[in-house]
Amino acid sequence: MISAFFIFNQKGEVLISRLYRTDFKRSIADVFRIQVVSSSDVRSPIVTLGSTSFFHVRINSLYVVAVTKNNANAALVFEFCYRFINICKSYFGKIDEESIKNNFVLIYELIDEINDFGYPQNSEIDTLKTYITTESIVSSAIAAEESSKITAQATGATSWRRSDVKYKKNEAFVDVVESVNLSMSAKGTVLRADVDGHIQMRAYLSGTPECKFGLNDKLVIDKSQQGISDAVELDDCRFHQCVRLDEFDATRTISFIPPDGEFELMRYRSTSNVKLPLRVIPTVTEIGTTQVSYTVTVKANFNNKLSATDVVLRIPTPLNTTAVDCQVATGKAKYVPGENVVVWKLSRLQGGQECTLSATADLTSTTHRQVWARPPIDVDFQVLMFTSSGLIVRFLKVFEKSNYNSIKWVRYLTKASGSYQIRF
Amino acid sequence: MPPRKGENYELSVDLNSGYPEKRRDAIKRVIASMTVGKDVSGLFPDVLKNMQTDDLEQKKLVYLYLMNYAKTQPELVILAVNTFVKDTDDPNPLVRALAIRTMGVLRAEKIIDYLCDPLQKCLRDENPYVRKTAALCVAKLYDLKPELVLENGFLEQLHDMIADSNPMVVANTVAALTDIHIAASAQPSTSTEPDPALFIISTAVLNRLLIALPECSEWGRVVVLNALARYVAQDEKESDHICERVVPQFQHANGSVVLAAVKVIMIHIRGVKREDLVKQLIRKMAPPLVTLLSSPAEVQWVALRNINLLLQKRPEILANEMRVFFCKYNDPLYVKIEKLDIMVRLAAESNVDALLSELKEYASEVDVDFVRKSIKAIGQTAVKIDEAAERCVNVLLDLIATRVSYVVQEAVVVMKDIFRKYPSTYEGVIPTLCANLDELDEPEAKASLIWIIGEYANKIDNADELLGVFVDTFIEESYSVQLQTLTAVVKLFLKKPESSQGVVQRVLNTATKDCDSPDVRDRAYIYWRLLSTDPGAAKAVVLAHRPPISIPRTTVAPGLLEELLGEISSLASVYHKPEETFIGQGRVGVDSVRQAGEFDDAFSAQKALQTVAQGQQAENLLDFGDDLAGDAPSGLAATEVLVQQQPAARNLVTGLSENPLDDLVSIFGGANMGMGGGAMGSAFGGGVFGGSAFGGAPAVQAPPVSSSALAASPLAASPPTTHTAQQPQEDLLGLF
C-alpha cells in the first residue's frame, strides 16, 4: 500500500503532501529531493533507499510521487499515479505547477477520497464529480438524501453510473481512434508495425441502458473459429470496467451498462495486416564531410476520397549542421537548429497524392569526426474515417426499460504521434 | 502568548473572524502553509473552533489539519472528540464516513478510546459507503492498538463482512484483513496458538471472493486477486476452477489488475494437471502481457521486469513475439535496457537476423550505456545460438570498423566471450582486434584482449611484442589487467619458450616485487613455483582445457524464481530480489544466514548473502527512524559485530572493497569455521569458484575478468580464505 503521496515541482519544492500512514515523517520529502530531484543520474522510475521506495512519474516538469515502505504492488502504484493525473486533467484541464497551486484544496479532497490508508478507493471520475466539486457542499437534511444516492452509486456494482440520468434525445457517439506504430528499416522493410486502438464512447442515454457492441473482429485467441470474411485480427483487447468480462470470455459479446458521458470503452492491439497510411521514401547521402543531401518522398496510401491532415515530418540532420536549404512543392519546410531537424509540415495530403522534399544540409568541419547516429525520420499525421487495422463497428444496440429510440454515431480516426519512424 | 504580529497571528485573527468567508479562507491558507512545511501547529485551538460546520469542504480541511497535528497536541485533540462522535451519527453518509475515516488516523491515545463505539456502529451502517470506510478503519486501529481490535470483536465482524452484499465493502474488508494479517505475521508469535489476527483463507472465503471478483472496482479486484494468490488449493479441481474464474481479468483495462491475474494464474497453475488447460492458460496470458507494452513507460517497465521473470520460467509464452520488444527511439533508457534483455531471451534461430540488424542499429545510438548493452547482447546471442555466431562476429567487426572508442572496447570484451564459447573458430579476427590495441583504455577491454593474445599466443607472431607493451606498464595497470598479463605471459612462455624467456622473467619479477596486490603477487608466486619445479604440471594447469561457457537460462536461483513468480507485480519481482533484501532492518538476513547453515540449500544461502549485504548497506545509507529508533540497533548492532570480527566485513560496510563478492565469501568463510558447519562454505565454493575453471554458467553475467573468474589455474582459487592464503605465501617465501 501507499504510505505517502507527494507532488513536487521541478526544484523539488513540495506542492502537495499527504501521509496516508504514519511510517515516517514529512522529512521523507527532503530525501526524495536530494536523491531524485537533484540527482542527475536517476535511471529508474523507482528508487529504493533502505526500506523506503519512491515511485515517481514526471509530468510537465512536476513529480507525482508515491512512497511505500513494504513490498508494494508496483504496477498498482503507477496505475494509481496515472489515474490521479487523469482525474486532475478532467477536473481542471491541465496539470502543471500553477494549476496544482490554484486547486490544492480540491486536490487534497480528491487524494483523500481516492485513497484511504494507502488503499486506492473508487476513482471513477464521473462519480467523483458528483460529490467532490469546486463549489462547496452544505451538509443538510436534503443533502443527506442526495448523499445516500451518491454513496450507493460510488460503492455499488455499477459504481460508474447514476440511475436517474435523463436525456431528451438519446444519443451515443463512438470514436474509434487508432495510433499506428511503425518502425521501418533503411531498406524499406517493416521491422514492426502495430496498431494501438481505443474506442472512445460518449453516451447520452437515459435510465440504465444495456448496451451490446459488435465489431468485425476475431480475436486470434480463437484462431480455429472461422469469422466473417472481412474480419480483422485483434491480438488482444482490454475493457472499461463496465464491460462484463466473464461474458466476453465465454461468448465474445461485449455487453455493458455505460457510464454517463465520455469514457474509454475498450483498448485493443492489432499486428496483422496493418495498413500503413503514409509511405515515406528517404534518400540521404553524405557528400564528403561537409554536406548531406536529402530527397524525401511521402505518399498517401489510401482511398483518394480521404485525406491526411496535420502531416508533420521531422527529418534529422547531423549535429554539426550550419544551414539547410529546403525545397518543397507542397507544404512548408524549415530547419530547426535547436532540435537538429528539418520540420516539413503539410496541412493536407489527399489519398494517392505524392510530395517530395529535397534539401541540402551544410556541415561545419569538426576536428573530432564522429559517425552520425542517424536517428529515424518521425512522421505525425491524422486520417479521418480510416482505420489502419481495418476495424469496423458492426452494431451498437441499446436496450432500456422505457424502450426509447437512440441515435448512434460512429467516427474513425487513425493517427501517429512520435511513433511512426522510418530509418535511413 | 504568541507574538501579536506575523503571519500566524494574522491567521489566528482570521480564524476567529465573525465572517464565515474569512474563516474559510484562513483555513485554506493554514493548509497551504502546512503543505510547504511551515509550522502552524500553534493555531490548533483556532482551527479547531471551525470544525463544527455544515460546509463539507471546510470540515475536510479542518480534518486534514487535525491529521497532521493531532500527535503534537494530544491534550487539545480531546476537544475534537465530541464533534467527531456527533458526526458519526450525522444523517449524511458522507459525513459519517469522513468522521470515521479521520478518527482512525489521528494517532492520539485519547481519541482511540472514543473510537470503538462509533466504529462498532459504522461497521453495521446501512450505507455501504460508510461500511467500506469503517472496514479499513479497523486496520488503522489495529496498527495503533491491536488489543482494542481483539477485545471489541472487530475481527469477527470483519470476517462476517466478507459475505457483504456490496462488492466494495468486500474488497475493503479483504484489504483490512490482509493488512492486519501482514502486521500480525511480522510480530514474533509468543503463544503456541495461532494468532487470531492471521487471515486464513478458507474454502468458504474463496467462494465469496470468486463471486465478488467480477463485480469489484478495479482496485478492489487487485485486492481480491492478491487474496486469491494466497489461497492454498486443496486439489486439482479447485486449481482448475480458480484459474478459469480468474482468466477473464486478463482483459481488464487496468494494468495492475492484469498483472495481479497473471500472478494468481502462475501460482495456481502449479496445481493444474490437465495439459490442455495449462496450454490454454499460457496462450491466453501472452496477448495481455504484450498489450502492457503500450502503457505509460513506468507501467511498461514494471511489466517488462515481470515478463523477464515469466520467461525464465516459461520461455514459450512469448516465443513468437520478439518484434514487439524492439526499442523505440524515444523509449526511456530503463525501458530500452529491459527490452534488450528480453530480446536476447527470446532469440532463436528463426528470428536472429532481425534481432542482429536491430542490435546493430542500437549500437549507433547516442547513449553510451545503451550502446554497450546492445553490443553485449550481440555477444550473448552469439553464445546462445551456435548457428548465428558467425553472423554475430561479422556484425561486431562492422562495429569495430566504426572506430568509436567505447564501441570498439565493448566489442573486444564481447569477442573474448565468443572465443571462450567457440575456441579456435574465429582466429581470423585476431589481427583486427590487435590493431586496436592502442585505443583501449578501459581495464576490462584491455584484460579481454590480453586474454585473447595469451590464449592464441602460438598463432600470433608478435605476441611477445604485444604483451611486452603491457609488461612495461605493468605497475600502472589495474589489478585485473595485471592478472591477465601475468597469465597471458605464462601461457606465451609455455607455448613459445624460446622467444619469451625474458619477458616471463620480467613479469614475474615485477609482479612479486613491486606489485601491491596480494592476489597478483600470490598468483605470480604460484606460477613461478610451478614453472621452476615442473613445467609439465604448469602446462597441465595453465593450458588446461576449459569447458565452453553458456548463457544461463535464469538469472535468479530456481527457488527464488518460484518465490518471485508468486509475487508478480510487487517490488520484489521488479527488483528480482527477495523482499527481505529491501524491507526491514536487516534482522531477517541474520536469521536466514543461520537457516542456510542448517538446510544446506544453495538458494537460501544465496538469498542470505544478498540479504545481509544489501539489507544492511541500505539501512546504513539512510536512517529515517525517529519512530523506529527503538528497533534500529538490532540491525546496526549486528553489522557492528560483524565489522569488529571481520576486516573484510568492514570493507563491505564502508564500501571500500574492490570486490565485494570475495569479501562476502570471506565473511562467511570465517563465520563458517566458527559455526562448524561445512555446508555453507561448499555452497559458496560451488557458486563462486566454479567460475575459476571457466565452467561456471554465471561467468558471462558475473564480471568476467574478476580475479578468480578468469584465473587459468584452479590453484588460484584459494586466496579468499585468509587462513589458506597466508600459509602458501609463507611456504613460497621459504622456497625462494
Side-chain angles (χ1 to χ4, degrees):
Chain A
M1 54 280 178
I2 300 163
S3 295
F5 186 83
F6 295 101
I7 298 178
F8 292 87
N9 67 6
Q10 203 166 14
K11 285 180 243 158
E13 290 163 351
V14 182
L15 302 181
I16 296 286
S17 128
R18 176 74 174 90
L19 306 184
Y20 290 116
R21 293 190 161 233
T22 39
D23 316 50
F24 38 64
K25 297 198 295 186
R26 273 175 54 98
S27 60
I28 198 82
D30 300 328
V31 178
F32 180 79
R33 181 169 56 239
I34 295 159
Q35 297 290 341
V36 181
V37 180
S38 37
S39 158
S40 58
D41 194 40
V42 176
R43 302 211 137 183
S44 147
I46 309 176
V47 175
T48 298
L49 303 159
S51 328
T52 308
S53 303
F54 297 90
F55 296 69
H56 61 277
V57 170
R58 291 203 66 172
I59 176 155
N60 299 341
S61 74
L62 293 176
Y63 290 87
V64 176
V65 184
V67 190
T68 69
K69 264 213 115 153
N70 62 347
N71 185 15
N73 186 333
L76 178 111
V77 175
F78 281 129
E79 288 280 359
F80 177 77
C81 291
Y82 275 99
R83 178 60 51 86
F84 168 78
I85 291 170
N86 284 341
I87 292 173
C88 285
K89 278 182 184 158
S90 149
Y91 263 92
F92 40 84
K94 55 178 181 176
I95 174 165
D96 55 20
E97 187 169 347
E98 202 192 330
S99 65
I100 298 285
K101 278 184 172 160
N102 291 341
N103 293 287
F104 80 96
V105 172
L106 178 66
I107 292 174
Y108 273 122
E109 265 191 76
L110 282 171
I111 54 178
D112 234 16
E113 189 58 43
I114 59 176
N115 197 314
D116 190 8
F117 203 44
Y119 294 99
Q121 303 289 307
N122 180 33
S123 55
E124 280 301 318
I125 295 167
D126 199 38
T127 314
L128 284 174
K129 279 188 173 167
T130 58
Y131 63 105
I132 295 182
T133 55
T134 35
E135 309 102 57
S136 54
I137 302 170
V138 175
S139 153
S140 63
I142 313 146
E145 202 180 306
E146 177 69 11
S147 303
S148 298
K149 248 190 233 162
I150 293 169
T151 50
Q153 185 208 332
T155 54
T158 50
S159 63
W160 52 86
R161 190 180 177 89
R162 284 179 287 148
S163 54
D164 56 348
V165 187
K166 272 207 178 66
Y167 288 100
K168 242 186 210 166
K169 203 166 149 195
N170 289 293
E171 286 181 300
F173 299 87
V174 178
D175 284 344
V176 179
V177 182
E178 298 197 335
S179 50
V180 206
N181 301 313
L182 168 76
S183 113
M184 187 177 269
S185 77
K187 294 188 190 91
T189 46
V190 175
L191 296 171
R192 176 187 169 181
D194 53 63
V195 171
D196 280 324
H198 61 113
I199 298 181
Q200 202 73 22
M201 192 165 163
R202 278 169 298 152
Y204 305 114
L205 301 165
S206 312
T208 318
E210 197 36 73
C211 297
K212 260 197 170 62
F213 194 67
L215 299 168
N216 61 333
D217 71 308
K218 52 168 186 168
L219 275 168
V220 282
I221 299 166
D222 298 297
K223 261 187 178 142
S224 51
Q225 279 179 3
Q226 282 305 310
I228 317 139
S229 56
D230 64 340
V232 293
E233 284 184 7
L234 299 187
D235 290 22
D236 184 33
C237 37
R238 291 158 84 185
F239 297 100
H240 183 268
Q241 59 170 326
C242 65
V243 176
R244 296 185 185 93
L245 297 178
D246 292 333
E247 211 173 309
F248 176 77
D249 195 55
T251 62
R252 298 272 158 231
T253 48
I254 304 170
S255 67
F256 55 98
I257 297 168
D260 188 38
E262 183 164 357
F263 68 103
E264 186 182 277
L265 176 66
M266 77 180 266
R267 267 182 180 279
Y268 59 91
R269 194 163 50 75
S270 171
T271 48
S272 49
N273 302 323
V274 175
K275 286 176 243 157
L276 300 173
L278 292 187
R279 179 111 171 95
V280 177
I281 307 141
T283 321
V284 180
T285 22
E286 288 172 60
I287 306 166
T289 55
T290 55
Q291 272 193 333
V292 179
S293 86
Y294 294 87
T295 314
V296 180
T297 305
V298 57
K299 195 179 171 199
N301 236 345
F302 44 81
N303 190 318
N304 47 21
K305 281 185 191 130
L306 305 176
S307 62
T309 51
D310 301 328
V311 181
V312 180
L313 285 94
R314 282 169 215 284
I315 305 157
T317 58
L319 300 179
N320 54 340
T321 304
T322 49
V324 183
D325 173 40
C326 315
Q327 276 160 356
V328 285
T330 21
K332 277 181 191 155
K334 206 173 92 187
Y335 170 56
V336 184
E339 296 168 46
N340 282 306
V341 288
V342 173
V343 177
W344 179 19
K345 287 184 180 166
L346 297 139
S347 54
R348 176 179 286 270
L349 195 63
Q350 206 67 31
Q353 200 183 342
E354 200 176 304
C355 299
T356 306
L357 164 138
S358 39
T360 321
D362 296 319
L363 314 179
T364 51
S365 48
T366 48
T367 44
H368 178 72
R369 207 183 84 80
Q370 204 187 346
V371 182
W372 179 31
R374 290 190 174 221
I377 295 178
D378 187 81
V379 190
D380 291 359
F381 59 84
Q382 294 197 339
V383 188
L384 259 177
M385 299 318 279
F386 174 87
T387 52
S388 265
S389 63
L391 185 100
I392 293 167
V393 177
R394 290 217 166 275
F395 60 84
L396 171 64
K397 290 179 189 150
V398 180
F399 307 95
E400 221 275 332
K401 285 190 297 255
S402 62
N403 233 345
Y404 54 72
N405 279 325
S406 52
I407 311 163
K408 298 119 192 168
W409 307 88
V410 184
R411 253 197 327 187
Y412 301 93
L413 175 71
T414 291
K415 61 173 184 178
S417 56
S419 56
Y420 202 82
Q421 296 177 336
I422 294 106
R423 297 173 186 168
F424 56 88
Chain B
M1 197 62 200
R4 304 189 63 86
K5 56 181 181 189
E7 202 177 353
N8 277 9
Y9 175 71
E10 279 168 29
L11 281 173
S12 144
V13 170
D14 284 356
L15 284 170
N16 291 301
S17 156
Y19 302 98
E21 269 307 307
K22 216 168 189 179
R23 289 205 302 269
R24 227 172 89 90
D25 186 56
I27 295 170
K28 283 190 188 173
R29 271 154 50 212
V30 170
I31 301 291
S33 304
M34 189 178 87
T35 301
V36 296
K38 284 184 198 153
D39 183 17
V40 283
S41 60
L43 298 168
F44 202 91
D46 302 307
V47 175
L48 213 56
K49 283 178 200 154
N50 292 287
M51 190 173 166
Q52 193 89 276
T53 170
D54 277 347
D55 183 339
L56 204 56
E57 187 187 285
Q58 182 175 336
K59 209 184 234 339
K60 282 181 185 168
L61 289 177
V62 174
Y63 283 1
L64 187 67
Y65 178 89
L66 287 180
M67 281 185 253
N68 266 289
Y69 290 112
K71 226 168 95 186
T72 58
Q73 309 269 355
E75 59 295 331
L76 287 173
V77 172
I78 200 76
L79 299 173
V81 166
N82 250 334
T83 318
F84 272 124
V85 175
K86 220 179 99 212
D87 276 359
T88 58
D89 265 332
D90 197 278
N92 187 335
L94 284 174
V95 176
R96 293 204 295 276
L98 182 64
I100 206 79
R101 189 167 80 197
T102 313
M103 276 179 96
V105 288
L106 286 184
R107 302 195 74 87
E109 280 296 301
K110 293 198 172 117
I111 287 268
I112 296 170
D113 297 330
Y114 291 93
L115 174 62
C116 293
D117 289 338
L119 181 57
Q120 197 78 258
K121 215 165 42 197
C122 287
L123 281 171
R124 296 205 180 84
D125 201 288
E126 37 113 42
N127 191 298
Y129 186 83
V130 180
R131 288 205 301 277
K132 71 129 188 162
T133 312
L136 273 183
C137 192
V138 176
K140 294 176 188 169
L141 184 61
Y142 189 88
D143 189 37
L144 290 168
K145 248 190 171 179
E147 55 277 16
L148 274 183
V149 172
L150 301 180
E151 282 162 20
N152 283 290
F154 287 140
L155 278 175
E156 290 75 17
Q157 237 170 315
L158 279 186
H159 278 286
D160 292 343
M161 282 165 75
I162 296 178
D164 199 286
S165 60
N166 185 294
M168 204 174 278
V169 176
V170 178
N172 271 10
T173 305
V174 174
L177 282 169
T178 312
D179 199 81
I180 293 170
H181 173 86
I182 293 168
S185 38
Q187 298 296 323
S189 170
T190 41
S191 66
T192 46
E193 276 175 55
D195 192 334
L198 294 183
F199 178 33
I200 294 143
I201 299 169
S202 62
T203 319
V205 175
L206 171 79
N207 289 328
R208 294 298 321 170
L209 294 181
L210 286 175
I211 292 167
L213 178 64
E215 292 176 357
C216 282
S217 78
E218 47 201 326
W219 313 114
R221 289 187 205 204
V222 178
V223 169
V224 171
L225 286 167
N226 282 342
L228 287 177
R230 281 182 41 223
Y231 179 74
V232 184
Q234 304 302 318
D235 51 28
E236 191 195 335
K237 225 178 104 200
E238 217 168 50
S239 297
D240 289 4
H241 183 62
I242 296 172
C243 287
E244 278 163 3
R245 292 293 290 271
V246 168
V247 155
Q249 303 305 322
F250 282 165
Q251 252 67 51
H252 201 283
N254 186 320
S256 59
V257 176
V258 175
L259 280 177
V262 170
K263 169 165 101 176
V264 177
I265 299 288
M266 286 312 285
I267 287 170
H268 288 290
I269 206 171
R270 292 171 197 158
V272 176
K273 301 277 182 311
R274 273 163 49 209
E275 273 302 310
D276 59 321
L277 182 60
V278 172
K279 262 197 187 146
Q280 190 194 347
L281 290 172
I282 293 296
R283 203 182 53 205
K284 283 192 173 176
M285 196 181 286
L289 285 176
V290 174
T291 302
L292 288 175
L293 295 184
S294 33
S295 325
E298 290 84 0
V299 182
Q300 233 185 91
W301 182 66
V302 172
L304 285 166
R305 293 291 291 171
N306 281 293
I307 289 173
N308 197 331
L309 274 184
L310 287 167
L311 288 178
Q312 300 192 17
K313 173 77 181 175
R314 295 187 178 270
E316 73 275 16
I317 300 184
L318 298 167
N320 302 320
E321 302 274 7
M322 193 180 72
R323 275 168 189 276
V324 301
F325 294 100
F326 284 178
C327 301
K328 291 183 193 156
Y329 191 74
N330 35 6
D331 277 338
L333 184 71
Y334 52 82
V335 167
K336 281 184 176 172
I337 285 177
E338 242 3 88
K339 282 183 173 175
L340 264 187
D341 209 38
I342 292 175
M343 274 153 66
V344 174
R345 228 165 247 299
L346 294 173
E349 222 192 311
S350 57
N351 56 23
V352 73
D353 283 325
L355 174 64
L356 281 178
S357 71
E358 274 300 296
L359 291 175
K360 197 178 162 189
E361 196 77 36
Y362 303 157
S364 64
E365 281 195 21
V366 192
D367 190 285
V368 178
D369 253 14
F370 181 55
V371 169
R372 283 175 184 275
K373 291 245 159 62
S374 308
I375 299 171
K376 269 212 176 75
I378 298 176
Q380 286 165 347
T381 314
V383 174
K384 187 175 174 192
I385 308 166
D386 295 0
E387 293 79 4
E390 194 175 338
R391 278 170 274 174
C392 297
V393 171
N394 287 335
V395 171
L396 286 173
L397 285 177
D398 287 351
L399 291 175
I400 290 173
T402 62
R403 304 189 67 86
V404 178
S405 169
Y406 55 85
V407 172
V408 174
Q409 310 218 31
E410 197 62 47
V412 169
V413 176
V414 163
M415 275 312 298
K416 172 213 64 196
D417 288 331
I418 296 181
F419 277 117
R420 284 167 67 184
K421 164 82 192 213
Y422 309 104
S424 325
T425 315
Y426 300 105
E427 285 154 14
V429 179
I430 295 174
T432 322
L433 298 180
C434 292
N436 289 292
L437 190 68
D438 302 335
E439 285 182 32
L440 306 183
D441 52 13
E442 290 161 23
E444 198 186 351
K446 275 188 191 174
S448 302
L449 188 59
I450 295 168
W451 181 83
I452 295 172
I453 298 174
E455 198 63 18
Y456 296 95
N458 49 339
K459 309 222 169 107
I460 305 171
D461 295 336
N462 59 345
D464 47 342
E465 263 173 57
L466 295 171
L467 290 175
V469 176
F470 290 102
V471 174
D472 291 340
T473 55
F474 193 80
I475 295 302
E476 289 119 62
E477 301 289 356
S478 67
Y479 296 140
S480 60
V481 178
Q482 291 183 354
L483 285 169
Q484 283 317 309
T485 313
L486 190 57
T487 309
V489 170
V490 173
K491 281 183 192 163
L492 170 72
F493 174 70
L494 291 170
K495 286 174 178 171
K496 290 198 243 170
E498 63 288 345
S499 65
S500 53
Q501 188 88 40
V503 72
V504 79
Q505 202 67 45
R506 206 143 51 90
V507 79
L508 287 176
N509 254 324
T510 325
T512 48
K513 293 216 177 76
D514 304 329
C515 185
D516 51 4
S517 155
D519 273 355
V520 178
R521 279 204 309 271
D522 282 353
R523 198 187 284 186
Y525 279 128
I526 290 161
Y527 285 149
W528 203 330
R529 190 180 179 190
L530 266 172
L531 291 174
S532 53
T533 49
D534 185 356
K539 245 183 193 155
V541 170
V542 180
L543 302 179
H545 174 74
R546 288 168 295 271
I549 55 168
S550 63
I551 294 283
R553 214 174 74 110
T554 56
T555 53
V556 292
L560 181 59
L561 180 62
E562 280 303 324
E563 186 188 317
L564 292 179
L565 284 173
E567 293 185 24
I568 279 189
S569 130
S570 73
L571 266 181
S573 74
V574 169
Y575 286 142
H576 296 189
K577 284 174 194 165
E579 184 182 342
E580 303 87 274
T581 55
F582 55 93
I583 305 296
Q585 309 289 311
R587 274 168 302 184
V588 195
V590 178
D591 285 348
S592 35
V593 171
R594 295 217 181 89
Q595 277 173 9
E598 284 161 27
F599 294 120
D600 180 29
D601 177 348
F603 158 50
S604 54
Q606 185 190 339
K607 208 166 129 176
L609 252 173
Q610 291 174 343
T611 308
V612 174
Q614 291 159 354
Q616 293 185 343
Q617 227 167 5
E619 283 303 324
N620 289 348
L621 261 180
L622 181 91
D623 198 298
F624 300 133
D626 56 317
D627 298 17
L628 303 166
D631 302 335
S634 59
L636 284 175
T639 325
E640 274 157 26
V641 173
L642 270 175
V643 171
Q644 281 159 11
Q645 289 170 349
Q646 301 283 345
R650 200 177 306 136
N651 284 345
L652 182 73
V653 174
T654 49
L656 287 171
S657 159
E658 280 278 314
N659 186 349
L661 198 60
D662 282 356
D663 286 335
L664 268 177
V665 170
S666 59
I667 294 175
F668 288 109
N672 207 14
M673 281 178 246
M675 279 157 51
M680 214 171 54
S682 67
F684 294 129
V688 179
F689 302 122
S692 67
F694 274 98
V700 175
Q701 301 285 337
V705 277
S706 74
S707 61
S708 50
L710 267 188
S713 108
L715 275 177
S718 52
T721 43
T722 44
H723 173 72
T724 40
Q726 274 165 6
Q727 291 282 61
Q729 202 169 352
E730 278 164 16
D731 287 356
L732 282 169
L733 284 172
L735 191 84
F736 291 108

